[in-house]
Amino acid sequence: TKTPMTNIRLYVSLLEELLLTETGMTRQEEALGMLKELTRQTEKLEFLIQSLTKMSRLESNIVEVRPEKQPILPLLSEVTDEAAAKAEQKRITIHNTYKGKACASFDFKWTKEAVGNVLDNAVKYSPAGSTVTISVTEYEMYLAVSIKDEGIGIREEEIPKIFGRFYRAEEVSQDDGVGIGLYLTREILKKQEGYFKVKSKPGKGAEFMIYLHKGR
């Protein structure tokens, strides 16, 4: 799938360049609008392919999650930086309150994927001008990363369902997404002795708690 997706992106780019340099072309603006939509759909398809690939690798144990004891702050900093552009577009503030040196046992790459999925959802389903807050709580055996938003919230009966593959709640069915992110997050955490909790009420935001084992 990677080769045809790369080719589609290349031809879209070349076509855009050609359209922009054409002079006196009738309906140029309409053609550019169609090209923009083609680009958007290509990005959605690429995201779906990447998500399915990650899911397949995890489920078939092609990729092994290798946890090691390390500080949590660098991971939170990277995840926050990667979500910043999307948050800025919606005027959403991501506030990471944690500046400590606590450690847990986790695979950096895959755990960044897990935490990033939750943070991406928080930004996606929060209203413009709101705040997403990241905090950390230390327990005897676990380190809990909290991601709290001021978004639409989740009905109590929906909470067990949101971790299923391809599940989309009715309220967000029109938004971008394929319903794999939280499923991947749960699977990644399970593979390194971690787990997931959600607290939410409709219209009052949601808090996702990611528990990482501290290790021995």
Side-chain angles (χ1 to χ4, degrees), residues 93-127:
T93 302
I94 300 176
H95 182 39
N96 179 15
T97 65
Y98 188 71
K99 305 298 177 191
K101 297 179 180 179
C103 294
S105 181
F106 59 91
D107 181 301
F108 192 95
K109 178 188 170 184
W110 282 103
T111 307
K112 191 173 89 166
E113 174 81 22
V115 178
N117 286 338
V118 177
L119 184 56
D120 183 70
N121 274 5
V123 171
K124 188 187 297 181
Y125 302 126
S126 292

Side-chain angles (χ1 to χ4, degrees), residues 4-213:
M5 288 304 299
T6 301
N7 287 338
I8 290 170
R9 281 187 169 277
L10 173 63
Y11 285 118
V12 164
S13 178
L14 291 171
L15 184 55
E16 183 179 30
E17 191 178 319
L18 178 64
L19 285 171
L20 289 171
T21 54
E22 280 290 314
T23 55
M25 177 184 173
T26 57
R27 302 174 71 185
Q28 183 185 35
E29 190 174 330
E30 185 181 350
L32 286 168
M34 291 178 183
L35 193 62
K36 185 177 180 182
E37 180 59 22
L38 177 60
T39 302
R40 195 173 76 87
Q41 294 299 329
T42 302
E43 287 170 353
K44 285 175 70 175
L45 181 58
E46 193 169 43
F47 174 76
L48 174 59
I49 290 168
Q50 288 172 354
S51 297
L52 289 171
T53 303
K54 289 169 188 173
M55 185 175 73
S56 176
R57 285 175 173 171
L58 275 173
E59 290 182 342
S60 58
N61 293 316
I62 291 172
V63 173
E64 190 178 344
V65 176
R66 294 187 176 91
E68 58 180 79
K69 196 151 188 174
Q70 56 192 306
I72 192 66
L73 186 57
L75 183 143
L76 296 181
S77 298
E78 282 197 26
V79 167
T80 303
D81 288 345
E82 289 181 9
K86 187 180 283 189
E88 283 174 16
Q89 288 177 354
K90 292 183 68 176
R91 294 182 290 106
I92 290 172
T93 302
I94 300 176
H95 182 39
N96 179 15
T97 65
Y98 188 71
K99 305 298 177 191
K101 297 179 180 179
C103 294
S105 181
F106 59 91
D107 181 301
F108 192 95
K109 178 188 170 184
W110 282 103
T111 307
K112 191 173 89 166
E113 174 81 22
V115 178
N117 286 338
V118 177
L119 184 56
D120 183 70
N121 274 5
V123 171
K124 188 187 297 181
Y125 302 126
S126 292
S130 62
T131 300
V132 174
T133 304
I134 301 172
S135 60
V136 173
T137 305
E138 286 193 69
Y139 297 98
E140 185 178 347
M141 293 180 64
Y142 289 92
L143 193 71
V145 177
S146 163
I147 297 177
K148 192 172 185 178
D149 64 53
E150 299 171 352
I152 59 175
I154 307 164
R155 298 195 306 271
E156 189 175 346
E157 64 270 21
E158 294 280 349
I159 290 176
K161 301 175 185 177
I162 62 176
F163 302 105
R165 288 186 295 180
F166 309 112
Y167 181 77
R168 306 292 312 286
E170 200 174 303
E171 296 88 342
V172 300
S173 59
Q174 300 303 313
D175 295 318
D176 286 345
V178 291
I180 294 178
L182 293 181
Y183 171 80
L184 277 174
T185 295
R186 188 183 66 173
E187 291 303 301
I188 291 165
L189 294 175
K190 279 168 63 177
K191 285 181 177 288
Q192 48 190 9
E193 297 184 67
Y195 64 100
F196 212 179
K197 279 188 178 180
V198 183
K199 288 191 267 181
S200 181
K201 288 184 179 179
K204 295 187 177 179
E207 181 179 16
F208 287 81
M209 302 287 290
I210 297 167
Y211 289 84
L212 301 171
H213 201 281

